[in-house]
Amino acid sequence: MAEGKKTDRVRSIDPAAIEMLKVADERGIETMFHRAETGSICPTGAEGGCCKVCYMGPCRFIGKDKETKRGVCGASLGTVVARNYVRECAGGASAHADHGRDIAHTLLLIGRGEAADYKIKDPVKLRKVAGYFSIDTEGKGDQQLALEVAEAALNDFGRQEGYQTYSYRAPKKRQELWDKLDVRPRGFDREVVDSMHRTHGGGDQDADHLMRQAIRMCLASGWGGSMLATDLSDIIWGTPKPLTSESNLGILKDDEVNIIIHGHEPTLSELIVDAAQDPEMIEYAKSKGAKGITLGGICCTANEVWMRRGVPPAGNSLHQELAILTGAVELMVVDIQCVFEGLAPVAEQFHTHLVTTSKKATITGATHIEFEEERGLEIAKQIVKMGVDNYVNRKPADVHIPDIKSPVVAGFSHEYIRYMLGGTFRESLVPLNDNIINGKIQGVAAIVGCNNAQTTQDEGIIGLVKNFIENDVLVVVTGCAAHASGKHGYLTPEMFEHAGPGLSEVCETTGMPPVLHMGSCVDNTRILTILADIVETGGLGDDIDQVPAVGISPEYYCEKALEIATYCVGSGAYVIFGGVDSRYRASEVVTNIHGNKWEEIYGGKLHFIPEWQGIFEASMAHIQKKREALGINVEKERVLFDMADRRA
Ligand code: NFS
C-alpha cells in the first residue's frame, strides 16, 4: 500500500494531504477520507431511484423493470428523478443566491451609513452596476448610489412582475431563446418557491416540464443571485487584479499564530484580514511568544481573500480537517457552505478553537460568535484575539506542518483579462478571439468545483489542467479546482513553458498565464460574462453555444455544483461532471434530457463521465466540433489587410 492510505484506493495526489493522512492514521483520527472508505452508500440513492416526497413511501425504483414501475401515488421513475433534480438544484441555487443577497444587505448598510467598517473600493463598478439597474448616477455620491443599487438588487430577488434584471446581460440571441421557451428567470425567490411547490406530491409530473423549471430557476441564480454576489463583492472589496501568494498547508508557520478562514462570504473574512494585520494585534501576538499572525484560507472564502488581499490559501475542501491535524492552527473561523460537521471532533483532539459566525449555521461543539456587519471589525478583532490567546495552548508535540507549498498568482477578473490583453486604452477580448480563430488557442476549458472524498483528491482536476494546456486549450479555474491548480504549481505565468506551442506563444506574448484563477464558485458568473463578451467581441458565433468551450467539474460533491451546471447548460455550454457517476442515471428519460434534449433546445448539455481521461476526450471532441461548425478548424491562408480592408 502506498503512503497515507488504508485501502488500495489512492486518497489524494497532493503530497501534503498524503503526509497529513499518515498522521491521522497513526493517531487514529477519523477524517472524510476515512469515512468515505467505511461509510455505506445507498445503492438506490446513488442511482437516483428513490422518492421521498410523500409519506405513502419512500418508494424505491430498482431492478430491470424500474422504468415501468410506479410509486404508490403512481409516479413514474422519470418524474421521481426529475423531481429530485429540481429540488437539489433549488438547494444549490439558494446557497449561491443567498450569498448574493447577504452581500447586497452589506451594501445596503453601507448606503445607510450603518456599516462603518466597509467602504466602496470600486466606485467605477458601482456605477456600472447602477447602469444595469437603470439607476441615474448623475451627481450622486458613492453612499447614495450604494443605497440605491442595494435596494434595487434586493428587490430583484423578490421581484413579483417582469424578469430578473441581469438576465438582460446575456447575448441577444440567448435572450430571444429564453423568451421563446419561456425560461427567462423571474424573481429568484419566486423561482425557488415555484420549484418547491411543483415538486410537492401531486404537482408537476412530467419530466420535461420539471427539467425546464430546473433551467429557469438556475438561470435565476447564474444570471442573477450569483452574478450579483460577484459584482457587489467587487464594489465593496475591489475588483480582483492578479496577486502573488503561496498555496497549501506549508503556508502555516510553526512560530506564528495560525488562523484559518473557511467558508464563503467575504463579509467577515475581509475584516479578519484587517484585524490580523492591525499592528496592535501583531504586537499582542508577540507578547504571547509568537512571531506574528499567519492567516490561511480554505474553500471559497480563501479564494475571495486570496485574490483580493493575497492571503495564502491552505487548501481546498478536503483540506479542512487536515489543516487542524497540523496541530498548529489556533483558530478556524467559519461562516457558511462546505464547512463540515466533522471539523468539530477533529478540533476536539487539538487545541484549535472552531468558531462559527453565521446566523444560518452553527455546529454542535463549536463556539458561536455571531457576526453583525454593524460591529464587524470589533467582532473580527474579538475572534483574532481569541486565536492569539490560544497560542500558548499549542502542544509542540502535536505540531506537524508539511513543508509543502507552491507559488501562485490569482485574481483574473473579467475586467483584468480585458486589460491584460489590450492595455488601459484598448482593453478588449479581441486578442483572445483572434487567437481562438487562428487556432493558436483551440478553445477554453473552465475547470471548476469541488473535491469529493469518494475520488482521489485533485487527480481529475490536475489531469485535465495538464492535458488541456498541453493541447493548446486555455484553462480558467474557480473554487476548489482553483486551489488544486495552485497547490500543484499550475497557477504561475511560467506554466506557459508546459503549454502546447500555440497557447505557449500567446501566453509569452501577452503575459497571460495558461491557467487563469477567476475566483470562487459564485465567480463562475465571471466566466458567463467572459463567454457573453467573447460572443459580443465577434468572430466566434452569435451565441454562447457556438464558442469552442467546455465547463467541467471533475470532482463535484454538492448541489451548488449541480445548479452551476444547469445555468451553464441553459446558457448554451457543454458541461461535464466527473469523479462520481450521475445520481440521475436510474432514469433513462432524465439521462436523455441531460445529454440530448437539452442540447437540441439550449445548445448546451450535461454529461456525467467519472474518469477524467474520458472527460478530456469528450471535451476535445466538443471543441473540435464547435471549431468545425464555425469554419475555423482549418488553417486559412494569411491575408494582409490594408486600411480599406480593415474598415470593411
Ligand atoms: Ni464551490 Fe466553494 Fe469547494 Fe465545491 Fe464547496 S468551497 S462554492 S461547492 S467544495 S468548489
Side-chain angles (χ1 to χ4, degrees), residues 135-257:
I135 295 169
D136 182 13
T137 57
E138 196 62 32
K140 288 179 188 161
D142 287 357
Q143 192 172 343
Q144 175 62 25
L145 268 182
L147 183 67
E148 290 182 33
V149 166
E151 282 173 348
L154 288 166
N155 286 337
D156 227 34
F157 283 95
R159 171 183 284 284
Q160 299 301 316
E161 286 180 347
Y163 299 99
Q164 255 182 220
T165 306
Y166 269 30
S167 70
Y168 295 93
R169 288 178 59 180
K172 269 263 151 357
K173 201 169 165 204
R174 185 65 23 187
Q175 293 186 46
E176 284 163 14
L177 180 71
W178 291 343
D179 288 335
K180 193 174 114 207
L181 299 167
D182 193 20
V183 294
R184 190 193 283 274
R186 302 159 298 180
F188 178 81
D189 295 351
R190 178 171 177 190
E191 295 303 356
V192 174
V193 171
D194 178 317
S195 299
M196 296 309 281
H197 177 181
R198 70 171 70 205
T199 54
H200 184 275
D204 196 359
Q205 289 153 101
D206 174 82
D208 285 305
H209 201 241
L210 280 157
M211 296 296 274
R212 191 183 70 137
Q213 175 58 15
I215 294 270
R216 177 159 58 182
M217 172 179 54
C218 293
L219 288 175
S221 172
W223 297 88
S226 301
M227 200 175 268
L228 272 169
T230 295
D231 275 358
L232 304 185
S233 295
D234 286 353
I235 289 170
I236 302 172
W237 297 289
T239 301
K241 298 184 182 80
L243 288 175
T244 55
S245 191
E246 290 178 315
S247 166
N248 215 337
L249 293 169
I251 59 108
L252 298 172
K253 304 233 170 69
D254 61 4
D255 53 3
E256 294 199 6
V257 173

Side-chain angles (χ1 to χ4, degrees), residues 96 264 299-300 317 337-338 449-451 479-481 521-522 557-558 560:
H96 273 152
H264 281 77
C299 282
C300 281
S317 69
Q337 300 173 24
C338 309
C450 326
N451 281 156
C480 287
C521 282
V522 289
Y557 100 94
C558 70
K560 285 182 289 175

